[in-house]
C-alpha cells in the first residue's frame, strides 16, 4: 500500500497510533510489524529529499508514530520536537545506518527524546 495518494495527515497519524498501541512490544521475540509505506528504507528517505510532498508525508507519519508512543507510554512521553528536528535526526540516522529504515530511525528518536536513551525493554 502506498500512502502517496493519501494526503490526510490525520489518517496517517491515526494509523501510526494504532500501530503503536496494537503492535507487538519490541521486548517480545516477535518482530515489530510496522504499518506504513511500501518502502520505508533509508534509501527511499534519502531519495525523497527533493520531493517536498513525499518528505512531508514521511515526517507526518513519524509524528503520528511519536504521538502513538506518547499515548501508549504517558509517563515517558516524547517531548515536543519540530519537523525540522525530526528530519535532521532521520537524515543523520540514515547516513549512519544506510541499510536500515526510517521507521527504525523514528523508534530510536522516541528513545532519545522520551528521556529513556535506550530501546524499550521488559
Amino acid at each position: 500500500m502506498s500512502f502517496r495518494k493519501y494526503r490526510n495527515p490525520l489518517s496517517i497519524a491515526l494509523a501510526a497510533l494504532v500501530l503503536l498501541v496494537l503492535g507487538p512490544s519490541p521486548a517480545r521475540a516477535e518482530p515489530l510489524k510496522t504499518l506504513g509505506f511500501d518502502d520505508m528504507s533509508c534509501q527511499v528517505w534519502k531519495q525523497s529529499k527533493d520531493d517536498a510532498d513525499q518528505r512531508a508525508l514521511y515526517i507526518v507519519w513519524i509524528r503520528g508514530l511519536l504521538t502513538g508512543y506518547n499515548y501508549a507510554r504517558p509517563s515517558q512521553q516524547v517531548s515536543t520536537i519540530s519537523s525540522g528536528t525530526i528530519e535532521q535526526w532521520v537524515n543523520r540516522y540514515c547516513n549512519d545506518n544506510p541499510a536500515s529504515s526510517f521507521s527504525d530511525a523514528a523508534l530510536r528518536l522516541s528513545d532519545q527524546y522520551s528521556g529513556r536513551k535506550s530501546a524499550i525493554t521488559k
Side-chain angles (χ1 to χ4, degrees):
M1 171 173 72
S2 174
F3 279 135
R4 185 173 271 294
K5 59 186 169 195
Y6 298 105
R7 300 284 186 195
N8 184 343
L10 181 58
S11 297
I12 296 169
L14 289 175
L17 176 66
V18 169
L19 159 73
L20 198 57
V21 172
L22 299 179
S25 166
R28 295 182 187 166
E30 306 159 12
L32 178 67
K33 294 176 180 89
T34 304
L35 306 176
F37 301 90
D38 288 340
D39 187 351
M40 296 185 68
S41 67
C42 279
Q43 180 181 12
V44 79
W45 169 268
K46 289 179 182 182
Q47 291 169 352
S48 74
K49 178 183 177 189
D50 296 323
D51 184 343
D53 289 339
Q54 189 65 39
R55 180 60 67 96
L57 285 175
Y58 292 157
I59 290 172
V60 167
W61 183 89
I62 293 168
R63 292 181 76 79
L65 180 117
L66 296 173
T67 299
Y69 171 85
N70 286 349
Y71 177 80
R73 297 194 176 270
S75 66
Q76 290 183 313
Q77 293 197 30
V78 173
S79 60
T80 302
I81 55 176
S82 69
S83 295
T85 299
I86 292 170
E87 187 169 10
Q88 288 176 353
W89 176 276
V90 178
N91 285 339
R92 190 171 349 160
Y93 182 90
C94 285
N95 284 334
D96 294 345
N97 304 280
S100 192
S101 67
F102 67 86
S103 61
D104 287 342
L107 294 171
R108 299 301 67 85
L109 185 140
S110 77
D111 297 338
Q112 183 68 31
Y113 282 84
S114 67
R116 253 190 351 274
K117 309 288 188 206
S118 62
I120 297 171
T121 60
K122 281 190 172 181

